[in-house]
Amino acid sequence: MKLFHRKETGLAPGLGKLVKAGVVSAALLFGSYGHADSNVPGNVTFTVPFGVGGGTDVWARFLAPWLTEYLESAPTIMIDNVPGGGSINGANVFARRASSDGSHILATSASTQFPAMLNEDRVRYDYADWLPVLASPTGGVVYASSELGEDQDAVMAALLETPVKFAAQTPTGLEMPVLIALDMLDMDVTAVFGMRSRGEGRLAFERGEAKIDFQTTSAYFSSVEPLVEAGDAIPLFSLGMLNDEGELVRDPAFPDLPTFSEVYAELHGAAPEGPAYDAFRQFFAAGFALQKLIMLPADTPQDIIDDYRSAASAFINDERFLEESEAQLGPYSLVNGSVAERHLQEVMTLDDGTREWLAEWLESRFGASI
């Protein structure tokens, strides 16, 4: 069984047009395809709060030369890896030491966003003090063992009655919006924590120790799609994607797969709402739709912010970038800084009702406190 047919480019049907449409949209927002006039200094320190060779480090090292090429000053960008604390250490260092003259930029990821949203004691940074240059989204797919049923409907019905295990890392990590979604669907899922990566969780699924799992888009295409083709796994739903207006829509990488919101509406006869869904949506946005960002201090002069954003908007229209970016970024176009800024303002602060629900849910379900 093959649910997703992709051309040699690796894109889902019609996705090339969607990506190009997103690029054209960005071009219209920022105008010129050429180099931006730049007030950016000749030397820039790019703080990456992870070790060398990790996903965010590879992502940052891929994007840095494009910034150099498209900023008029053609700055030398030095990657400064400051690992520790799941990115908190490096983000704290950046918050304390970064200059606001354009000479310091920061890479952040979901593991930087989530602790800030949860007001963890270790966090000494505030997203209100930063502005995004660009954001890089990814998607995610929840899938289950074909032992539960022969198709999606049968598996969904079985999950409402059959206890299953889900191999996870931590209750407040990247899996948190997935765990919220599974609870909202009334599935009898027990999370087993302690996995060191989502890859470990997938291996637990392949060994039959877990009957339900989720992976981000790149891991799904490389490691889960073969399981689907072999008849061992059945995709249930994607987490979705945010459009420029902040609406949750189908993931362009999985246009034929319903979103969590669609599955919920079909199951309950109404669209999801309330503090549980608010928590899902905010952590989904911060962990997936805006998973990785390049940030500047918010008190950076506006002309320098504009230079960075214009350069980023210009290089995502470069045909060479489009050809090279698929392997690094997956089938998604970058989100320009102004759109990312608007979304961040909406998701990074939890209102009292959402925070109270989340605290009670984490304590009652997993014995975790925030």
Side-chain angles (χ1 to χ4, degrees):
M1 177 173 61
K2 184 173 181 65
L3 298 182
F4 308 107
H5 300 276
R6 291 175 289 146
K7 298 179 181 179
E8 292 181 358
T9 59
L11 298 180
L15 184 56
K17 294 180 180 178
L18 284 169
V19 172
K20 290 179 181 177
V23 169
V24 172
S25 174
L28 293 174
L29 281 169
F30 286 94
S32 174
Y33 281 69
H35 289 207
D37 292 333
S38 184
N39 299 290
V40 175
N43 292 289
V44 173
T45 298
F46 192 175
T47 299
V48 177
F50 298 91
V52 175
T56 302
D57 177 68
V58 171
W59 174 83
R61 291 176 187 274
F62 170 70
L63 291 177
W66 292 98
L67 281 173
T68 294
E69 180 174 346
Y70 273 88
L71 285 165
E72 186 65 26
S73 62
T76 297
I77 298 179
M78 182 189 74
I79 304 293
D80 183 20
N81 295 95
V82 187
S87 80
I88 292 177
N89 291 2
N92 284 342
V93 168
F94 183 85
R96 185 170 66 251
R97 298 180 181 175
S99 300
S100 57
D101 60 356
S103 63
H104 289 82
I105 57 178
L106 171 71
T108 72
S109 189
S111 59
T112 324
Q113 275 92 262
F114 282 15
M117 296 170 73
L118 296 172
N119 292 335
E120 289 195 17
D121 291 339
R122 299 173 298 158
V123 170
R124 299 290 183 269
Y125 53 87
D126 188 337
Y127 270 70
D129 296 332
W130 300 335
L131 289 175
V133 172
L134 57 81
S136 185
T138 191
V141 174
V142 174
Y143 58 97
S145 171
S146 58
E147 293 178 10
L148 296 171
E150 62 181 9
D151 56 26
Q152 184 187 75
D153 289 341
V155 171
M156 290 292 294
L159 286 168
L160 298 177
E161 300 178 355
T162 306
V164 296
K165 292 181 179 178
F166 171 50
Q169 293 173 271
T170 68
T172 56
L174 190 63
E175 296 104 339
M176 183 163 59
V178 177
L179 292 168
I180 293 173
L182 296 176
D183 268 13
M184 290 183 68
L185 293 173
D186 299 320
M187 293 181 177
D188 191 355
V189 176
T190 298
V192 179
F193 297 111
M195 301 297 108
R196 290 171 293 182
S197 67
R198 288 305 320 137
E200 273 199 0
R202 190 198 75 252
L203 291 176
F205 176 88
E206 291 187 30
R207 291 192 298 265
E209 298 165 5
K211 299 298 184 184
I212 192 167
D213 190 41
F214 111 94
Q215 295 293 330
T216 57
T217 299
S218 59
Y220 183 89
F221 280 141
S222 64
S223 300
V224 181
E225 197 172 53
L227 301 177
V228 174
E229 293 174 349
D232 297 326
I234 294 179
L236 302 179
F237 57 86
S238 79
L239 299 183
M241 189 51 58
L242 292 183
N243 62 17
D244 283 357
E245 289 70 43
E247 300 166 332
L248 202 153
V249 297
R250 286 201 175 191
D251 188 325
F254 307 100
D256 299 324
L257 198 61
T259 66
F260 155 65
S261 299
E262 290 178 83
V263 171
Y264 180 95
E266 182 175 349
L267 182 65
H268 293 282
E273 59 181 1
Y277 183 66
D278 292 341
F280 163 82
R281 190 184 180 285
Q282 286 189 244
F283 282 94
F284 157 74
F288 293 86
L290 303 170
Q291 189 187 59
K292 300 185 189 301
L293 300 109
I294 295 179
M295 307 292 274
L296 282 164
D299 58 351
T300 301
Q302 188 61 48
D303 56 351
I304 296 178
I305 294 171
D306 292 343
D307 288 345
Y308 269 106
R309 288 181 172 179
S310 295
S313 179
F315 73 66
I316 67 174
N317 294 284
D318 189 311
E319 289 297 331
R320 292 177 299 120
F321 177 81
L322 294 177
E323 291 175 4
E324 295 178 19
S325 67
E326 184 186 334
Q328 298 292 337
L329 307 179
Y332 302 100
S333 56
L334 296 174
V335 180
N336 70 68
S338 60
V339 174
E341 181 181 354
R342 186 171 71 250
H343 291 339
L344 275 175
Q345 290 172 347
E346 295 172 352
V347 306
M348 287 303 296
T349 301
L350 303 176
D351 64 34
D352 291 342
T354 304
R355 180 173 295 279
E356 181 179 350
W357 178 88
L358 187 64
E360 293 177 355
W361 177 76
L362 286 168
E363 177 64 35
S364 62
R365 288 287 279 113
F366 312 117
S369 60
I370 59 172

